[in-house]
Amino acid sequence: MKLLRYGEVGSERPGLLDADGTIRDLSGHVPDIAGKTLDPASLETLSKLDPKSLPAVSGKPRLGPCVAGTGKFICIGLNYSDHAAETGATVPPEPIIFMKASSAIVGPDDDVLIPRGSEKTDWEVELAVIIGKTAKYVSEADALDYVAGYAVAHDVSERAFQAERQGQWTKGKSCDTFGPTGPWLVTKDEVADPQNLKMWLTVNGKTMQNGSTKTMVYGVAYLVSYLSQFMSLHPGDIISTGTPPGVGLGMKPPVFLKAGDVVELGIEGLGQQKQTFRADV
């Protein structure tokens, strides 16, 4: 299934995308794409619905973040060997973990705000893993049992805030609107191999990133297991698994985003996003 949330900010309704590309309303069956809705048993129940029996949504409504109630937005740094090389870093012996504030989460096509004082706002297409049931001390072999599905995430980053100011990376990753997620949560049964998905990103029509989850250093199952050794993962939590090469920081000379730029990005089978960047006032 391709689960989604549609409607104005703060008033999103649950839905799914049918085989014809029509949005179908799910509010008669679940309150939101969040919490218990993400449990395997609930997803199994939803999968048995005939999409044509659900109300069709007319027009082209705004799409919100594909999951609600996210308690943790966990990001993995330098998780593609070729991306680490372009930034002059070495592949870490264990995953680098940092947090993106949940207040950064927005819809896949919402405008992204360049924060005040920013001179180095950058792009990163990433595979997002959506947790479906509570995971604590799980093995790598069982880890995918705790995954509800996958989505496209844009890990927008302010490099000066991230690396040139004191402290950790979080403040360069957590600015308002720096976490577009969606358009859909694609349930894991539709993703045969999360480690073999093409991914891409363009800026003003020019291809900047053209990679694959094949070059991940630490794969999805390993990351879910690894993180669960340090913290419980709860339904709706997002793990953003790192980005392939082609970020602005790695260009020679570096290239960063400015107001008016349009970024499009996508992952094979998971849909695509489009954002216009504008200055935050």
Side-chain angles (χ1 to χ4, degrees), residues 3-25:
L3 301 175
L4 53 85
R5 302 172 66 249
Y6 70 95
E8 296 306 308
V9 177
S11 301
E12 292 93 346
R13 298 166 65 92
L16 62 77
L17 194 74
D18 71 16
D20 297 324
T22 299
I23 295 175
R24 300 282 179 167
D25 184 77

Side-chain angles (χ1 to χ4, degrees), residues 111-197:
D111 287 353
V112 173
L113 303 177
I114 298 175
R116 290 182 184 179
S118 170
E119 296 181 351
K120 297 183 178 181
T121 295
D122 203 350
W123 57 84
E124 293 190 9
V125 58
E126 304 205 1
L127 172 69
V129 179
I130 314 297
I131 297 298
K133 64 179 181 178
T134 300
K136 185 174 183 179
Y137 301 131
V138 303
S139 68
E140 186 174 355
D142 294 335
L144 295 186
D145 293 342
Y146 297 82
V147 172
Y150 305 94
V152 180
H154 190 179
D155 180 19
V156 186
S157 308
E158 212 300 336
R159 302 302 187 187
F161 295 1
Q162 175 187 355
E164 298 173 18
R165 304 284 291 270
Q166 295 299 308
Q168 299 179 340
W169 291 0
T170 301
K171 63 180 175 289
K173 297 285 189 170
S174 295
C175 304
D176 292 347
T177 72
F178 270 25
T181 306
W184 320 305
L185 185 164
V186 181
T187 51
K188 65 183 177 184
D189 58 292
E190 291 197 12
V191 180
D193 183 3
Q195 306 305 149
N196 187 23
L197 300 174

Side-chain angles (χ1 to χ4, degrees), residues 2 152 182-184 186 200 265-273:
K2 293 180 173 67
V152 180
W184 320 305
V186 181
W200 57 271
L265 59 149
I267 298 178
E268 181 181 3
L270 304 184
Q272 62 187 65
Q273 304 180 357

